[in-house]
Amino acid sequence: MSNSTADIFVLFSTRAVRLFAYGSLSVMLVLYLDAIGLAGSQIGLLLSLTLIGDTAVSLWLTTRADRFGRRRTLMIGAVLMAIAGVVFALTDNFLLLLVAATIGVISPSGNEVGPFLSIEQAALSHIVSDHNRTRIFAWYTLAAALATAAGSLGGGLLVGTLQHAQIEPIASYRIGIVVYASLGVVLLVVFSRLSPRIEVDKPSAPADVEPTPAHHLGLGRSHRVVLKLSSLFALDAFGGGFVIQSMTAYWFHVRFGVSASELGGIFFGANILAGLSALAAARLAARFGLINTMVFTHLPSNVLLILVPLMPNLPLAIAVLFLRFSISQMDVPTRQSYVMAVVPPEERSAAAGVTGVARTIGAAISPAIAGFLIASPATIDLLFYLAGGLKSVYDFLLYRSFITVRPPEEIVASEK
């Protein structure tokens, strides 16, 4: 294979391994924390600090990755993921868990955390053309969704099988977390196979042109648009933080008595649908534009999210959840592609990192609030109402602010 093809294969593989690990962990994490005796408020705090810690680590790493080296930074992230998994598996001490959650890389949501996604996006954008970027990101999102689905199913089946074999629930959850840590080691090995082609080229400017000074976040001339996007992405993630996969799994467990193995099956199907929706996003974006695709597929999914707790039984609740997931991820590859399109190549890791960190910050706040909501059957449904409402506000603000800011491929297409 050519170096570029080999690097694409490695980056798809690492994302698949990582999201398998995240999906597996998400169906058991809150159940594990509940089983070791943590209160709902402690669980919410721990999940929030997990995301806050990932934010700090990610911001520091991604804003330096283009200078320090993308491959080396990815390998550091893999080490942090493995360490966090080991600590979570070995102790039920709340303070030690807080330290591991803050410093390490743990995903309570089944979604991306840590520095990985930002740097991988920058690397992929570096080795593919503008014309192919959204399509590659769509397949990249599909790979992640399929891996998350497989991880959710695998994690649920592993825990269910172990418990069926008379292994204590806490021990079964800990075995699942050991698997998570082991996959961090696998990532470390696979990241080491990346070639120098993914590294950023140093920009060259004419002698009579003053170089653009770097912003303290690793951004130069793109810092205004990146910070504006970041504020909007933070709002979207804040809403989404109320229904991260761990919380949604717990809601199904409380409302309908769904077991861990059954939860794995539910989220397997949901994530398969989400991944397939990403492929449709690339075709829609080519016809209607990235911003239009982001907004007009995201709004209906938010309405469906609000409808989930209004369903009177488990089959209908699952059906609405599946319908929501069938369109919910269309904004993901388009959002990622849009950010990469509107910043210069030498600022892509930093831009992806800053916007990713903004999303993590937004998502880190809401689980602490959600922890209080899940403590009572009277308030647990508010998770879905708050999520759907806040994410809809984000859609309106994004459309108003960026409908006129077009990526290069759309400008070229309109001029033909």
Side-chain angles (χ1 to χ4, degrees):
M1 291 188 296
S2 69
N3 283 340
S4 292
T5 304
D7 286 331
I8 290 172
F9 178 78
V10 169
L11 291 169
F12 271 63
S13 299
T14 54
R15 188 153 203 226
V17 170
R18 190 168 65 252
L19 270 294
F20 180 92
Y22 291 168
S24 175
L25 184 68
S26 68
V27 299
M28 68 183 77
L29 182 58
V30 174
L31 298 178
Y32 168 63
L33 297 175
D34 181 63
I36 63 176
L38 297 189
S41 58
Q42 289 179 306
I43 293 173
L45 176 63
L46 183 61
L47 297 187
S48 285
L49 289 178
T50 296
L51 295 171
I52 289 171
D54 288 336
T55 298
V57 170
S58 298
L59 183 61
W60 194 87
L61 290 174
T62 54
T63 54
R64 290 162 174 78
D66 288 342
R67 300 186 299 277
F68 178 69
R70 290 171 175 169
R71 183 175 69 93
R72 284 190 288 178
T73 307
L74 289 167
M75 292 173 68
I76 290 172
V79 171
L80 293 175
M81 176 178 165
I83 291 173
V86 168
V87 175
F88 265 67
L90 292 180
T91 185
D92 58 4
N93 183 281
F94 183 62
L95 291 179
L96 290 178
L97 290 173
L98 281 179
V99 172
T102 303
I103 298 175
V105 177
I106 287 281
S107 175
S109 63
N111 297 324
E112 283 282 8
V113 293
F116 306 108
L117 178 61
S118 303
I119 300 171
E120 288 179 355
Q121 288 174 8
L124 284 170
S125 298
H126 198 65
I127 56 180
V128 302
S129 66
D130 288 343
H131 178 72
N132 288 323
R133 187 185 58 251
T134 302
R135 183 170 60 86
I136 289 291
F137 278 15
W139 283 99
Y140 181 67
T141 301
L142 174 61
L146 294 177
T148 304
S152 299
L153 181 63
L157 287 176
L158 173 63
V159 169
T161 301
L162 291 172
Q163 292 180 11
H164 185 72
Q166 306 305 313
I167 293 177
E168 290 293 322
I170 292 178
S172 69
Y173 298 142
R174 282 183 168 150
I175 291 171
I177 295 172
V178 168
V179 172
Y180 176 87
S182 302
L183 291 174
V185 177
V186 172
L187 281 179
L188 176 64
V189 174
V190 180
F191 278 135
S192 69
R193 306 300 299 168
L194 287 167
S195 80
R197 285 180 62 89
I198 70 158
E199 305 295 347
V200 68
D201 299 321
K202 300 300 181 183
S204 58
D208 59 342
V209 176
E210 288 289 330
T212 303
H215 191 267
H216 67 278
L217 292 175
L219 301 169
R221 59 183 184 271
S222 67
H223 76 274
R224 288 186 179 179
V225 68
V226 170
L227 293 180
K228 192 171 184 180
L229 283 168
S230 297
S231 64
L232 292 172
F233 292 168
L235 173 62
D236 179 44
F238 176 68
F242 286 101
V243 288
I244 57 176
Q245 191 157 301
S246 291
M247 286 294 183
T248 306
Y250 187 73
W251 180 86
F252 274 98
H253 175 71
V254 170
R255 172 63 74 87
F256 299 111
V258 182
S259 68
S261 58
E262 292 171 325
L263 287 169
I266 290 172
F267 287 103
F268 173 79
N271 284 291
I272 290 290
L273 291 171
L276 294 175
S277 74
L279 292 183
R283 291 191 174 187
L284 290 173
R287 181 171 182 180
F288 300 108
L290 290 171
I291 290 293
N292 283 330
T293 303
M294 290 163 66
V295 171
F296 292 110
T297 60
H298 202 233
L299 271 172
S301 77
N302 298 332
V303 174
L304 291 166
L305 188 60
I306 293 171
L307 293 177
V308 170
L310 298 176
M311 296 300 103
N313 54 53
L314 178 61
L316 284 176
I318 293 174
V320 174
L321 184 74
F322 279 9
L323 188 58
R324 187 253 172 179
F325 268 83
S326 70
I327 58 174
S328 66
Q329 296 299 295
M330 289 186 181
D331 74 308
V332 174
T334 46
R335 181 185 69 234
Q336 295 167 349
S337 181
Y338 186 79
V339 174
M340 294 296 96
V342 296
V343 302
E346 67 273 13
E347 297 178 18
R348 281 174 173 162
S349 287
V354 171
T355 54
V357 162
R359 291 187 61 83
T360 306
I361 290 173
I365 299 170
S366 33
I369 303 171
F372 291 97
L373 298 178
I374 66 174
S376 169
T379 56
I380 195 170
D381 290 352
L382 288 175
L383 298 176
F384 295 89
Y385 303 143
L386 288 171
L390 289 167
K391 290 167 76 67
S392 296
V393 171
Y394 152 79
D395 288 322
F396 287 115
L397 293 176
L398 177 70
Y399 186 83
R400 189 181 70 177
S401 300
F402 285 95
I403 187 60
T404 59
V405 182
R406 301 163 67 192
E409 64 269 24
E410 292 180 17
I411 294 173
V412 171
S414 67
E415 291 175 349
K416 289 183 178 179

